[in-house]
Amino acid sequence: MKLPMIDLKAQYIELKSEIDAAIEHILDEQSFIMGEPVSKFEESLRQYLGVKHAYGCASGTDALQLALMALDLGAGDEVITTPFTFAATVEVVALLKAIPVYADIDPMTFNMDVNKVEALITSKTKAIVPVHLYGQAADMDELMEIGRKYDIPVIEDAAQAMGAMYKGRPVTSIGDLACTSFFPAKNLGAFGDAGGVFTNDDTYGNKMKFLRVHGSDKRYVHDMIGVNSRLDSLQAAILDVKLTKLDVWNKRRDVIADLYREGLENVDVVTPTCKSDRTHIYQQFTIRSKSRDALQAHLHKEGIPCAVHYPIPLFKQPAFHDAKYDATCPETIKAAEEVLSLPMYPHMTEAHVEMVVKAIKNFF
Ligand SMILES: *Cc1c(COP(=O)(O)O)cnc(C)c1O
């Protein structure tokens, strides 16, 4: 048996009859863009997350761009974020001609070190963008306090953390604005690209709602310069079905994480931890090892899939290799050399976990 990194087929099989019926309904209707399934899914998201505004869009990357556009982010503005994330988080900042300013990470959680943020604030800072990396919420209370103190909005990048809780509240409901991705491999994944934006603020909410459809509220009247970032009805209908299983699947991820931790207890790797006031949904189960590259090569030889999220800190990426994007973040550099994500998906069995653990033990 070949072990996969994730198993999307198992999710589909579990919900096949409901998903197939939802797709068939749309094929019958032939209404593909922003139809009733989109508003229904948006309402489901509002209920599930307890937010006032939830809007589907075309991807997680677009969601981040829409949130930044809602703040009128422009040339020369600065955005404080983490350099240890998927490139999309800062790509959109740079696309809008603003400057990403990097706060180093906390080596225990891989999230933005909140103690590093305040010193980076200048008169040009327009937003703080924490990422709930691997599925665990960033230190939102501390970040919101800094945001309030300097009147700077906080945008949550929750692309890896749908359903994760922070002090009893779901992520996406805490920041001034929030974004997520429904990319197929995310813990709530569509059958193609999709994303969402969230806020409790009416001004930001209405702006994002219309920015995603060419800045237009009334047909052929354009109040703002927007983009085309609509959510397909097909994706919305599929996501609405999958959302009903999200909590069950997230809990199962947590159980698998515990199995991994037990198995790796006396092995010379650092397993991920979760702070006691929040939940972790383990979009990735990411360990640290001083001999990461050799361990990864060994696991691949044994047929165990594994991946590095992320090998290059964003300030070292060729696209951002400009003096204006540079940063000093030693914890990020170290993490990029040591992290290794193991197979993780809700339908993973105990035997699967044992296979991975055994292969790691063989290496040591
Ligand atoms: C996946 C991801 C994105 C981008 O989402 P897409 O839907 O692929 O555009 C942004 N931020 C983070 C942290 C991600 O993991």
Side-chain angles (χ1 to χ4, degrees):
M1 176 199 55
K2 186 139 175 24
L3 191 71
M5 188 72 186
I6 60 168
D7 186 353
L8 297 179
K9 185 90 179 270
Q11 293 184 14
Y12 173 51
I13 288 167
E14 189 177 337
L15 293 168
K16 190 173 186 322
S17 55
E18 289 104 308
I19 289 175
D20 287 0
I23 292 173
E24 208 178 309
H25 177 70
I26 288 167
L27 297 186
D28 283 341
E29 298 284 317
Q30 291 288 302
S31 162
F32 297 113
I33 304 281
M34 300 287 278
E36 186 265 343
V38 173
S39 10
K40 183 164 175 282
F41 176 54
E42 289 171 344
E43 181 54 30
S44 300
L45 285 171
R46 282 191 280 274
Q47 298 282 333
Y48 176 76
L49 299 166
V51 291
K52 196 161 172 206
H53 297 265
Y55 302 110
C57 64
S59 71
T61 307
D62 277 4
L64 287 157
Q65 183 175 334
L66 290 167
L68 293 169
M69 287 174 77
L71 301 181
D72 298 318
L73 192 80
D77 290 340
E78 294 176 1
V79 175
I80 297 173
T81 187
T82 163
F84 198 57
T85 174
F86 182 59
T89 313
V90 301
E91 185 179 42
V92 286
V93 173
L95 265 178
L96 294 171
K97 309 281 182 233
I99 313 280
V101 175
Y102 297 112
D104 205 0
I105 56 166
D106 169 354
M108 288 308 290
T109 62
F110 304 101
N111 279 328
M112 192 190 270
D113 180 346
V114 290
N115 300 312
K116 298 271 156 63
V117 173
E118 211 164 344
L120 298 172
I121 289 174
T122 72
S123 58
K124 291 181 179 164
T125 309
K126 287 287 153 60
I128 300 171
V129 184
V131 177
H132 307 311
L133 203 75
Y134 303 151
Q136 177 173 205
D139 292 325
M140 287 307 296
D141 276 357
E142 289 84 347
L143 290 169
M144 293 308 291
E145 201 179 304
I146 295 169
R148 295 274 136 75
K149 182 167 161 194
Y150 295 92
D151 200 19
I152 298 167
V154 176
I155 305 174
E156 296 177 66
D157 180 345
Q160 302 187 3
M162 281 305 275
M165 302 294 286
Y166 174 83
K167 301 189 182 179
R169 298 161 69 192
V171 300
T172 74
S173 72
I174 306 158
D176 298 289
L177 307 95
C179 306
T180 202
S181 164
F182 302 118
F183 180 75
K186 309 286 174 165
N187 70 321
L188 178 58
F191 287 6
D193 277 310
V197 289
F198 313 93
T199 185
N200 286 313
D201 181 285
D202 292 340
T203 307
Y204 294 145
N206 290 325
K207 256 176 132 170
M208 292 191 291
K209 182 178 179 186
F210 300 125
L211 281 167
R212 73 181 167 159
V213 284
H214 304 289
S216 172
D217 181 4
K218 266 204 282 312
R219 184 172 286 202
Y220 304 125
V221 179
H222 302 269
D223 301 310
M224 305 172 253
I225 297 173
V227 293
N228 173 5
S229 182
R230 297 173 294 226
L231 176 62
D232 286 346
S233 301
L234 271 170
Q235 302 304 345
I238 292 160
L239 286 164
D240 206 33
V241 174
K242 291 184 86 174
L243 180 61
T244 62
K245 284 283 174 200
L246 184 62
D247 284 346
V248 176
W249 289 344
N250 281 346
K251 280 206 186 85
R252 179 65 196 160
R253 288 172 179 276
D254 195 39
V255 170
I256 292 157
D258 280 339
L259 290 173
Y260 265 131
R261 270 190 290 261
E262 268 168 50
L264 295 169
E265 209 160 27
N266 298 311
V267 183
D268 187 21
V269 296
V270 181
T271 51
T273 52
C274 176
K275 292 191 175 183
S276 61
D277 56 4
R278 60 203 80 177
T279 63
H280 197 320
I281 58 88
Y282 299 99
Q283 168 65 33
Q284 306 296 348
F285 186 87
T286 304
I287 60 171
R288 293 183 79 132
S289 166
K290 295 260 184 265
S291 34
R292 193 267 316 276
D293 290 344
L295 175 60
Q296 184 178 25
H298 164 83
L299 290 178
H300 280 158
K301 218 172 69 216
E302 297 225 344
I304 305 287
C306 53
V308 175
H309 303 104
Y310 295 91
I312 307 174
L314 291 182
F315 49 84
K316 285 184 179 273
Q317 285 287 356
F320 299 104
H321 216 164
D322 184 309
K324 69 177 187 278
Y325 299 132
D326 210 2
T328 311
C329 298
E331 290 299 345
T332 297
I333 290 170
K334 216 158 82 188
E337 289 165 358
E338 295 182 359
V339 293
L340 188 62
S341 304
L342 304 178
M344 168 57 85
Y345 46 94
H347 299 80
M348 200 172 178
T349 64
E350 218 168 312
H352 290 156
V353 177
E354 271 165 31
M355 276 173 69
V356 182
V357 168
K358 197 163 144 231
I360 294 174
K361 282 183 169 164
N362 283 346
F363 174 78
F364 290 98

